[in-house]
Amino acid sequence: MSLTPSITIGGRTSVLTCHMAALSGRFRHNSAAAIRECVHANVARLEIDVHSLAGDDYVVSHERRLERETTGAGSIGVATADDVRAVRFLDDADDGPPLLSNVVAMARDGATELQLDLKDWRPMEHARLQALLDVIAPIKQRVIVTAGEDWNLRLLHDADPTLALGFDPGRYIGHAQEEPSLLPRAMGAYGYRDDHPLAIGRTVAAPEYLRARFDAFASQCPAAREMFLDHRLFLQMLDDRFNAAEWLHEHSMDVTVWTVDHGATPDAAVERMVDAGVDRITTNTPLAWAEAFGGKANVR
């Protein structure tokens, strides 16, 4: 079986990435069952969140503490693989978070690309970097590791220059949301959440300013082959006459926008992003998007 949801508009195609391995929506996000469904369907790409453990494995989890969603307690970074095997989800006593080694075993004979969104915040020790490289070794050619922490991406590149990397600059610039996230905190002069000194006052036109910021992002993680952007940020930049997809393609990088869900994001916004040239759209509802676009969707 091969199932590759994508949207084609005016000759341009954006592939739909399964966020937290969500495909049909029947299974818990980031669960072994959801991952297995994606792998069996041979989707083009699935995204899962991973965090290093104390030892030679990683756990699939969006959280940094066990008690947030499991029967365990404490920082995930000090837990062992055996600790993870012993816990269960708070809302499902029959299941628990999978280890990355289990995911690699599931994906080994398939064709699906795995996007591992790294949740480690602090600069990673070499042993933890090497553990990741060792676990993914059987399928490394179908893995891309992504993060907003550019310092860890640079450390990973130093450990293995052949590993595919993707950078999310959301720690440095965000769309004009009403409430700031952890970072960035200030509302800059150009209308973005932006703590950069260039955002203190308007000195150039918005497109020129945004080009300067993307020049800086590219230098922060020069090994990245792809950039990951909040879709609201991408649309705001389009409003400011800066097409991030065009800029990234000119600099030999792909672009993924996240997280775009059917029923929450208007069809017109999706059409606009596809027309602008985004390569991939991360979504919890890939099949619903394909169905919604009818003749403009390509599911095979």
Side-chain angles (χ1 to χ4, degrees), residues 50-52 58 118-122 124 128 149 152:
V50 298
H51 196 294
S52 68
Y58 277 58
L118 186 61
K119 294 304 177 186
D120 288 57
W121 172 269
R122 296 178 178 84
M124 299 176 69
R128 298 203 175 207
E149 293 73 33
N152 281 330

Side-chain angles (χ1 to χ4, degrees), residues 34-81:
I35 295 166
R36 189 177 297 111
E37 180 184 44
C38 287
V39 169
H40 285 175
N42 273 328
V43 299
R45 178 187 283 183
L46 68 87
E47 181 263 3
I48 53 176
D49 303 296
V50 298
H51 196 294
S52 68
L53 295 170
D56 57 1
D57 212 335
Y58 277 58
V59 63
V60 179
S61 178
H62 189 272
E63 305 297 337
R64 293 190 173 91
R65 295 191 63 83
L66 286 168
E67 64 266 23
R68 295 285 177 83
E69 61 180 12
T70 78
T71 55
S75 171
I76 284 178
V78 300
T80 66

Side-chain angles (χ1 to χ4, degrees), residues 217-271:
F217 298 149
S219 68
Q220 286 174 237
C221 191
R225 77 176 194 188
E226 190 168 344
M227 200 167 285
F228 292 75
L229 302 173
D230 185 323
H231 78 279
R232 296 164 296 183
L233 173 64
F234 185 87
L235 290 169
Q236 184 177 346
M237 291 188 293
L238 284 181
D239 289 340
D240 280 334
R241 306 185 313 282
F242 177 77
N243 186 331
E246 285 185 357
W247 189 97
L248 289 164
H249 292 159
E250 289 170 359
H251 291 78
S252 302
M253 283 186 277
D254 285 356
V255 57
T256 288
V257 293
W258 57 266
T259 299
V260 184
D261 290 341
H262 187 260
T265 304
D267 288 9
V270 173
E271 293 182 2

Side-chain angles (χ1 to χ4, degrees), residues 4-16 260 267 270-271 274-275 278-279 281 283 285-286 288-300:
T4 304
S6 61
I7 297 173
T8 299
I9 298 174
R12 288 186 166 179
T13 298
S14 296
V15 174
L16 298 169
V260 184
D267 288 9
V270 173
E271 293 182 2
V274 173
D275 181 66
V278 300
D279 300 285
I281 297 173
T283 178
T285 56
W289 277 125
E291 182 179 357
F293 274 88
K296 289 179 285 188
N298 175 28
V299 182
R300 57 183 183 275

Side-chain angles (χ1 to χ4, degrees), residues 43 84 144:
V43 299
V84 172
I144 179 170

